[in-house]
Amino acid sequence: MPDMSLTKHPMPSQEPDVRNKNFLEVALGYTEEIAVAEANRCLNCKNMPCVSGCPVNIQIPHFIKKIVEKDFEGAYEVIAGSSSLPAVCGRVCPQEKQCEGKCVRGIKGEPVGIGRLERFAADYHNANFKGEVKKPEPNGKKVAVIGAGPSGLTCAGDLAKKGYAVTIFEALHLAGGVLVYGIPEFRLPKSIVQKEIDGLSALGVDVETNMVIGKTVTIDELFEKGYDAMFIGSGAGLPRFMNIPGENLKGVYSANEFLTRVNLMKAYKPGSDTPIKENKNVAVVGGGNVAMDAARCAKRLGAENVYIVYRRGEEELPARKEEVEHAKEEGIIFKLLNNPVEILGCEDKDENGRPAPGYHFVTGMKCIKMELGEPDASGRRKPVEIPGSEFVLDVDCVIMAIGTSPNPLIKNTTEGLETNKHGCIVTKDESGLTSREGIYAGGDAVTGAATVISAMGAGKKAAAAIDEYLSNKN
Amino acid sequence: MYKIVRKKELNPTVTLMDIDAPAVAAKAEPGQFIILRTDENGERIPLTVADFDREKGTVTIIFQIVGATTEKLNHLKEGEYIHDFVGPLGTATHTEGLKKVAVVGGGVGCAIAYPIAKKLHSLGCEVHSVVGFRSKDLLILEDEFKECSDKYVVMTDDGSYGEKGLVTDALKKLIESGEKYDEVITIGPLIMMKFVCRLTKEFNVKTVVSMNPIMIDGTGMCGGCRLSVGGETKFACVDGPDFDGHLVDFDEAMDRGSMYRSYERKKHEETCNLFKGVN
C-alpha cells in the first residue's frame, strides 16, 4: 500500500540563518530511510504521466520502485539509462514544471519528490560505486564538441559510450559551463560537477580548456584537423542590460560577471585573487533562477539587505519554486511589481573639483511601481507602469539578471551557419542538425537561455543523430 | 600549462616573456589580446599581444608590474609555467590600405603599439612612431621601433632622453609641420589617449585607440569591460579592443578602471610581503 500522506517528506537542510552566511550546500539530501518513505508515495501509475514531463524521459516510476526495494544502485542505473548528469539534475531541474508537475499525487496534495529521489540515487551511486568504468571499443571516428556545459557534456558522454573519439573544446579554464560559472556552490557543489567530468575522462573524452572556438580555432579548421562531425553547445553567454541611465556606474554588474567572480573565480574564498566589491545593500533585477542565485550569493558575501526587483508579480516569477522559497527563508526581500528606471551614482567632488572617494559608485536605484494589465505575447499579464510612483531604493550595488543571448563568436566565423534574429543557431529539427552538414547544435545556443535539463536533452538527441549520420556515412 | 621559454627585464618595472602557446601564436594578429592566469587561485587578466612567432609557436607578452597578478607573473622564471593562457581574443587592429600612420605609444603601451607599427611597416605604410616615457630608464623597444619606423620620436617627462614633453607635443608638431596622416593609432594610459584624441580631433585626423579595461572571460560573457562609445555600450573584449578614439568616453573608462583600486593595492602589498618572506 502506498504512503498516502499529502506532503513530501521535507528535505533536510541547513538552517536559513546559518546557511545565508556560508557557501556550503543548502539541501543536505534524503537519508535512506526518508528516501524509501518518500518513494512509497509513488502510485506507480501505468501510464506514467511523470515520464512525459521529463525532457530526457527518465523511467521515473521504475527508478522509484527500485528505491522502495532498497536497490539504490539499481535506481541509479535506471536514471543513468536516460540522463548523463543525474546528481546535477536532481538538484537544478525545475521539477514542478516537469515531472512533478504531471504527478497524479499533485492533484490533491504535493507530488512525489521525484527530484529529491533522483538526487538521492545519484548521490548514493557517487558515494558507493566502486566498479571500473569500461572504456568502449574505439570506432575510429572523431567528433568535436564545442562547449563543456550541460549539452556538450551530455553529447560527449553519449558519443564516447558508442566508441567515438570525442574532444570537448572549452573557452574557459575549467569545464562545466554554467554548472561551474553560474550555479553557486551552495546549490550545486562543484565537486559533483567535477565527478561528472572525471566520468567522461574515464570514458576517454578529451577536454581541452582555454580554447575559444571562433578565435583560437574555427569550426572549419576543426574539420580540416580530421573531425568527422561537430556539436555546438556554446550556450547563451552574452549578458543583457536594460539600457537605462547609470548602468555603467561602478557597482553595476551583469549577473554573469557577479556569479563568475563568485563561483568560477571563487572570490568568496580568502585565497582567491579575484576581487568582488563589498556591498551593504544589493538590488538584483530579474526573477529567474539566475536572479535568485545572485541574490543569495550577495547575502552570503555579507550584504545586509538584498532585494529582488522584478517587474511582474509573485505568480510570474520564472525561478524554480524551491529557489524562491529558499531565498525568502534566507532573508532576501522581494520587491515585486517594480521596475528600475535609473541607477544613481555619487557625484561628490573635493574642493579642487576632483572626484571624491566613492565618486561614480552606485548610491541608489530609481524604480517605478507596476501593475499587471492584459496578457502579452508570452501569455503572462503585461506589467504596466503606474504614473508618478517612482521611488529610490537605497543600494550600493545593482546586479542585472534579465537574461542572456547566444555568443556570436562561432556564428561570425563559420560560413553557412544559419542563425535567427536573436543570434540563436537554427536547427532543422529535434536532431539539432544545423544548416551545415555534419554540424549539430543544442542547448542555449539554439534556444536562448533555458534550463540545464533541456540542454541535456538536446545534447542527447544530437548525439543520437550524429551517430546515425556517421554510421551511414560510409 | 604554458611554458615561459624566455624572460627578459626591459626596465625595472617592465618584463617581456615569450610563452609557448602554439594555438594562440598560429592566429594572433597585432591589436589582439590574451587572458592569462598565473596559478590555481589566480585572477584572469588581459594582456595585449606584443609579438608572436608562428614557427616557434610562441606569443610575446610585455607587462608592467602594477598589481598582485603581474607581481606573481614577474616572479615566475624562464622554464616555469603559466597555468592558463587563452587567445587570441578581440579583433585585430585594422591595418589594410593605410598609407601613412602616426603610431603614438605611452609607457608600457608601446609594447602593444610596436607590433602594429611593425605590421604597418611590412605592408608598406609610412610609419611615424612617437613614444613617451616618464624618464630614460623606463624606455623600452627603442631598436625595435626604429627598425619599423620612418620617423621615430622619443619624449620623456623629465627630458632625460629624447625631447622633454608629452607625446601630444610631438604629435602636434608633426601635424603642424604638414604631415598628413591617414590615421593616428594610439596606445597608452587612458589619460594620454584622451589628450591625443582631443588633439587629433582639432586637426580632424581619424584616431584609433586600444582599450584595456577590467575583464574576466574576454569572450563577451561578463560585460565587465563595457565602455561608452558614441553613446552606445560596447564590450571591449569582442567589439574591440580598438575603437574610434573620438567617440570613446574616456572619463567613464577611467572611472570604471578604478573600481577595485583599494582592493588591488591591498592585494599587491600582501603579495609583495609574501615574496619578501620567501626570498
Side-chain angles (χ1 to χ4, degrees):
Chain A
M1 229 345 242
D3 172 352
M4 291 310 289
S5 56
L6 292 179
T7 52
K8 290 180 193 174
H9 288 79
M11 178 64 122
S13 301
Q14 279 195 74
E15 287 300 320
D17 237 11
V18 174
R19 71 182 191 233
N20 67 11
K21 294 171 192 70
N22 69 51
F23 276 83
L24 302 175
E25 192 168 19
V26 167
L28 303 171
Y30 277 168
T31 60
E32 291 183 14
E33 291 72 29
I34 306 176
V36 172
E38 181 63 26
N40 264 311
R41 292 186 64 234
C42 175
L43 301 177
N44 208 356
C45 308
K46 268 221 161 59
N47 59 346
M48 304 195 288
C50 48
V51 178
S52 69
C54 174
V56 295
N57 300 112
I58 294 173
Q59 298 300 296
I60 294 163
H62 295 174
F63 95 76
I64 293 182
K65 189 151 178 284
K66 295 275 185 193
I67 294 180
V68 172
E69 293 162 0
K70 298 195 180 172
D71 176 7
F72 305 132
E73 189 59 33
Y76 172 81
E77 278 165 23
V78 173
I79 301 170
S82 315
S83 166
S84 313
L85 311 165
V88 174
C89 292
R91 286 169 167 83
V92 304
C93 266
Q95 288 97 0
E96 73 267 19
K97 291 178 192 150
Q98 300 174 352
C99 52
E100 293 183 21
K102 304 263 179 175
C103 176
V104 171
R105 295 297 307 265
I107 298 168
K108 194 179 162 196
E110 287 183 353
V112 175
I114 300 169
R116 293 171 183 182
L117 291 173
E118 180 187 23
R119 168 184 165 159
F120 167 78
D123 287 356
Y124 177 90
H125 168 82
N126 280 344
N128 296 293
F129 182 71
K130 296 280 183 291
E132 284 269 306
V133 179
K134 227 181 96 199
K135 244 191 204 172
E137 200 59 41
N139 68 10
K141 287 174 187 150
K142 281 169 74 178
V143 179
V145 170
I146 320 303
S151 71
L153 294 176
T154 303
C155 186
D158 280 16
L159 288 169
K161 283 178 199 154
K162 293 199 164 95
Y164 291 92
V166 182
T167 309
I168 306 181
F169 295 96
E170 166 57 42
L172 290 170
H173 57 259
L174 194 64
V178 73
L179 308 176
V180 295
Y181 76 74
I183 303 176
E185 177 78 18
F186 57 81
R187 199 147 81 79
L188 177 64
K190 300 311 148 217
S191 56
I192 287 171
V193 182
Q194 194 50 51
K195 200 140 194 170
E196 302 289 358
I197 291 160
D198 292 346
L200 290 184
S201 302
L203 283 171
V205 173
D206 183 24
V207 182
E208 286 199 31
T209 53
N210 295 329
M211 292 292 276
V212 184
I213 304 305
K215 284 287 172 190
T216 318
V217 180
T218 64
I219 295 276
D220 287 298
E221 285 165 342
L222 288 177
F223 275 121
E224 284 163 26
K225 282 176 198 280
Y227 289 95
D228 301 295
M230 236 156 273
F231 174 76
I232 304 173
S234 51
L238 228 54
R240 287 199 199 120
F241 288 92
M242 290 187 75
N243 296 318
I244 56 172
E247 258 179 334
N248 288 353
L249 290 165
K250 289 173 281 185
V252 183
Y253 289 101
S254 72
N256 262 3
E257 178 180 4
F258 185 78
L259 289 172
T260 300
R261 284 181 183 273
V262 176
N263 301 321
L264 178 71
M265 305 310 296
K266 305 270 176 280
Y268 68 89
K269 283 189 177 169
S272 168
D273 288 345
T274 301
I276 192 137
K277 190 174 161 292
E278 280 174 33
N279 304 300
K280 214 168 155 192
N281 301 301
V282 178
V284 179
V285 181
N289 289 321
V290 173
M292 300 305 141
D293 286 344
R296 296 169 73 194
C297 282
K299 189 81 185 172
R300 281 163 174 75
L301 288 167
E304 284 169 27
N305 297 299
V306 180
Y307 307 98
I308 289 280
V309 177
Y310 180 56
R311 63 195 181 120
R312 301 181 198 248
E314 172 106 30
E315 284 296 305
E316 288 79 20
L317 282 170
R320 287 174 85 212
K321 217 169 124 205
E322 190 181 76
E323 306 312 323
V324 176
E325 280 163 14
H326 278 159
K328 283 185 179 166
E329 286 167 13
E330 289 168 15
I332 308 297
I333 304 155
F334 282 67
K335 292 274 197 188
L336 303 172
L337 289 167
N338 285 300
N339 205 29
V341 288
E342 183 181 358
I343 300 163
L344 310 168
C346 166
E347 296 292 340
D348 293 352
K349 298 206 173 170
D350 65 14
E351 58 271 21
N352 302 319
R354 289 199 201 95
Y359 183 74
H360 278 184
F361 273 94
V362 172
T363 56
M365 184 166 80
K366 195 196 267 182
C367 302
I368 188 161
K369 291 190 175 147
M370 312 290 277
E371 58 188 352
L372 293 178
E374 296 297 312
D376 63 10
S378 72
R380 296 178 298 178
R381 291 177 66 194
K382 192 183 161 148
V384 188
E385 291 182 356
I386 302 174
S389 66
E390 289 93 344
F391 67 99
V392 172
L393 198 60
D394 176 21
V395 292
D396 52 0
C397 175
V398 175
I399 300 167
M400 290 292 173
I402 54 169
T404 52
S405 324
N407 196 310
L409 282 182
I410 291 176
K411 172 192 90 176
N412 291 347
T413 52
T414 313
E415 217 168 299
L417 188 71
E418 203 183 312
T419 55
N420 68 17
K421 62 173 186 218
H422 302 293
C424 301
I425 299 172
V426 175
T427 53
K428 290 217 155 52
D429 48 41
E430 285 222 310
S431 73
L433 178 62
T434 67
S435 53
R436 286 266 314 257
E437 191 192 335
I439 304 180
Y440 295 74
D444 286 4
V446 169
T447 58
T451 60
V452 169
I453 185 74
S454 62
M456 260 189 54
K460 271 200 109 52
K461 285 181 186 132
I466 289 171
D467 179 43
E468 203 192 323
Y469 163 68
L470 291 179
S471 304
N472 294 334
K473 211 180 164 192
N474 21 333
Chain B
M1 301 286 267
Y2 303 80
K3 193 175 185 179
I4 301 165
V5 292
R6 182 168 76 111
K7 181 182 175 187
K8 190 180 160 196
E9 187 185 292
L10 297 186
N11 74 36
T13 62
V14 175
T15 304
L16 173 151
M17 281 179 178
D18 288 343
I19 310 297
D20 181 42
V24 185
K27 281 294 179 68
E29 290 289 346
Q32 289 189 296
F33 66 97
I34 57 94
I35 282 193
L36 64 78
R37 209 163 67 113
T38 52
D39 60 282
E40 192 64 50
N41 293 318
E43 62 175 331
R44 293 170 65 98
I45 61 155
L47 286 174
T48 307
V49 169
D51 209 348
F52 46 84
D53 187 324
R54 301 211 205 278
E55 269 169 36
K56 285 189 194 148
T58 58
V59 175
T60 306
I61 50 170
I62 296 180
F63 58 93
Q64 186 164 21
I65 304 148
V66 286
T69 299
T70 41
E71 187 75 51
K72 275 186 176 180
L73 186 58
N74 194 47
H75 269 263
L76 293 172
K77 301 182 186 78
E78 212 169 88
E80 290 186 324
Y81 291 84
I82 293 176
H83 205 284
D84 297 290
F85 193 88
V86 57
L89 301 167
T91 48
T93 300
H94 170 77
T95 47
E96 302 296 317
L98 297 173
K99 298 272 177 290
K100 188 168 174 175
V101 170
V103 176
V104 182
V108 76
C110 292
I112 307 157
Y114 163 65
I116 298 168
K118 186 170 136 184
K119 172 93 187 258
L120 287 167
H121 179 72
S122 76
L123 293 172
C125 173
E126 183 177 342
V127 177
H128 292 186
S129 297
V130 178
V131 297
F133 300 92
R134 279 209 308 279
S135 63
K136 188 188 174 187
D137 52 335
L138 297 178
L139 181 80
I140 57 170
L141 302 174
E142 181 166 39
D143 295 340
E144 286 86 346
F145 265 109
K146 277 184 177 162
E147 213 163 280
C148 63
S149 308
D150 299 279
K151 250 188 200 152
Y152 172 72
V153 184
V154 187
M155 304 295 289
T156 50
D157 293 0
D158 61 0
S160 54
Y161 193 69
E163 284 176 53
K164 183 176 157 73
L166 303 170
V167 288
T168 40
D169 300 332
L171 183 63
K172 191 172 182 199
K173 221 190 245 175
L174 284 166
I175 296 173
E176 281 178 343
S177 73
E179 302 286 4
K180 293 251 182 288
Y181 300 114
D182 296 340
E183 219 172 78
V184 171
I185 300 176
T186 180
I187 302 131
L190 287 168
I191 188 80
M192 183 202 93
M193 294 195 285
K194 176 182 168 174
F195 281 98
V196 168
C197 290
R198 191 174 281 183
L199 175 77
T200 55
K201 180 127 204 196
E202 252 175 65
F203 291 96
N204 210 11
V205 184
K206 187 186 172 193
T207 302
V208 173
V209 296
S210 174
M211 305 297 282
N212 188 16
I214 295 168
M215 57 177 77
I216 306 177
D217 60 292
T219 62
M221 205 184 91
C222 78
C225 66
R226 60 195 189 275
L227 305 161
S228 294
V229 182
E232 273 180 68
T233 295
K234 297 279 179 193
F235 290 180
C237 65
V238 286
D239 301 321
D242 287 2
F243 292 99
D244 180 340
H246 294 154
L247 298 179
V248 170
D249 183 341
F250 284 103
D251 292 338
E252 182 189 87
M254 281 186 257
D255 223 23
R256 289 184 61 77
S258 71
M259 170 116 182
Y260 296 105
R261 196 153 288 161
S262 58
Y263 175 94
E264 282 159 359
R265 244 181 240 135
K266 200 173 128 233
K267 196 88 199 173
H268 190 190
E269 216 165 277
E270 278 172 21
T271 312
C272 289
N273 289 338
L274 203 72
F275 283 127
K276 268 180 214 154
V278 175
N279 297 343

